[in-house]
Amino acid sequence: MIILKLSVAIDGPAGAGKSTIAKIVAKDLNLMYINTGSMYRAVTLKALEKNISAENVEEVCKLVETLEMHFENDELILNGENVNSKLTMPEISKNVSAFASIKEVRQILVKLQREMSTKYNVIMDGRDIGTVVLKDASYKFFLTASAEERANRRFKELKEKGLDVNYEEILKDIIDRDYKDTHRKVDPLVKASDAIEIDTTGLNINEVVKNIESYIKA
């Protein structure tokens, strides 16, 4: 008898609270949390460290093939190093869309993400989980919030890390990222037709978590 694995897909724009919420749901329901956005940020991190441009697709793909990624306690381990604290730096946020738009890079990472979902009960968040990575996910959610709300969340997050950041610049980056994510040729950000949309503007984390878990438990 084949036992199907439980899979939960959470999509949405940058700063909608996907990662924070997915981590909590994962712990509450004993699921493996896979932050696909972190995986693209990890590629961006290494490419920038090695001065590889997103235009140099061949070199980027060679780089991706050398990366070993897995998650421990919801944090990304890249080639044996916990790089979680580096992945939300402004320089990564500004450049990640360019690398995430590369078709060949997406193909490599999507294959890896799908393999994870066949082995474990998972919850994944990203931009194209419900539409591409886990088309047959048991549950699909699309989280959104106003650009201003998302920029404010990111501003507070970076401030708490002691970084000198400017709200207006973060808001501009969020708006630019939204445009790039929704207009890219390969796997653009779009709500899956069978996804449940939740606007997180004005809601606290626990309210959103409770909403999502009520659907899954039902």
Side-chain angles (χ1 to χ4, degrees):
M1 184 177 69
I2 298 174
I3 300 175
L4 296 177
K5 295 296 182 182
L6 173 66
S7 56
V8 180
I10 299 184
D11 289 305
K18 303 183 299 296
S19 300
T20 302
I21 288 157
K23 286 179 185 178
I24 298 171
V25 174
K27 285 177 181 170
D28 287 351
L29 303 182
N30 196 29
L31 306 173
M32 176 182 283
Y33 167 60
I34 299 170
N35 183 339
T36 62
S38 286
M39 297 171 77
Y40 289 102
R41 284 174 176 268
V43 171
T44 306
L45 174 68
K46 281 299 176 187
L48 293 179
E49 284 180 357
K50 295 181 179 296
N51 293 314
I52 300 174
S53 164
E55 280 76 45
N56 193 341
V57 175
E58 185 177 349
E59 285 302 311
V60 174
C61 289
K62 284 181 182 178
L63 172 68
V64 176
E65 295 286 7
T66 70
L67 304 181
E68 194 286 317
M69 289 185 257
H70 69 276
F71 291 86
E72 291 181 8
N73 299 320
D74 303 335
E75 298 194 329
L76 181 65
I77 309 301
L78 176 64
N79 293 347
E81 178 191 359
N82 186 327
V83 295
N84 242 48
S85 62
K86 298 179 181 180
L87 300 182
T88 54
M89 295 294 111
E91 189 66 16
I92 303 299
S93 297
K94 285 181 181 178
N95 288 281
V96 65
S97 286
F99 289 94
S101 298
I102 300 172
K103 179 179 68 174
E104 293 84 353
V105 170
R106 300 195 72 82
Q107 288 172 341
I108 295 169
L109 294 189
V110 166
K111 182 175 181 288
L112 180 59
Q113 292 153 10
R114 283 178 178 156
E115 286 172 355
M116 291 177 182
S117 74
T118 64
K119 297 175 183 176
Y120 308 98
N121 292 319
V122 302
I123 181 166
M124 290 191 198
D125 72 281
R127 300 291 189 281
D128 60 351
I129 309 305
T131 54
V132 177
V133 184
L134 299 178
K135 289 182 180 179
D136 300 320
S138 314
Y139 301 93
K140 298 179 185 179
F141 299 94
F142 190 87
L143 303 187
T144 186
S146 68
E148 291 76 14
E149 171 106 356
R150 290 182 283 129
N152 191 46
R153 291 172 184 170
R154 187 59 54 85
F155 176 76
K156 288 180 178 177
E157 177 189 355
L158 295 173
K159 272 290 187 185
E160 287 172 0
K161 291 182 177 180
L163 296 177
D164 182 19
V165 289
N166 178 279
Y167 169 80
E168 295 300 330
E169 288 182 6
I170 291 174
L171 177 59
K172 181 180 181 298
D173 285 345
I174 288 274
I175 293 171
D176 288 347
R177 182 83 190 274
D178 286 352
Y179 183 84
K180 290 175 183 175
D181 285 345
T182 55
H183 288 78
R184 68 186 179 210
K185 292 180 180 179
V186 182
D187 304 334
L189 169 64
V190 61
K191 175 178 171 284
S193 60
D194 54 347
I196 298 162
E197 183 167 343
I198 301 174
D199 189 337
T200 66
T201 305
L203 298 179
N204 64 41
I205 291 169
N206 289 334
E207 288 172 324
V208 181
V209 167
K210 188 176 180 180
N211 196 347
I212 288 175
E213 290 183 356
S214 68
Y215 284 103
I216 298 172
K217 289 176 180 177

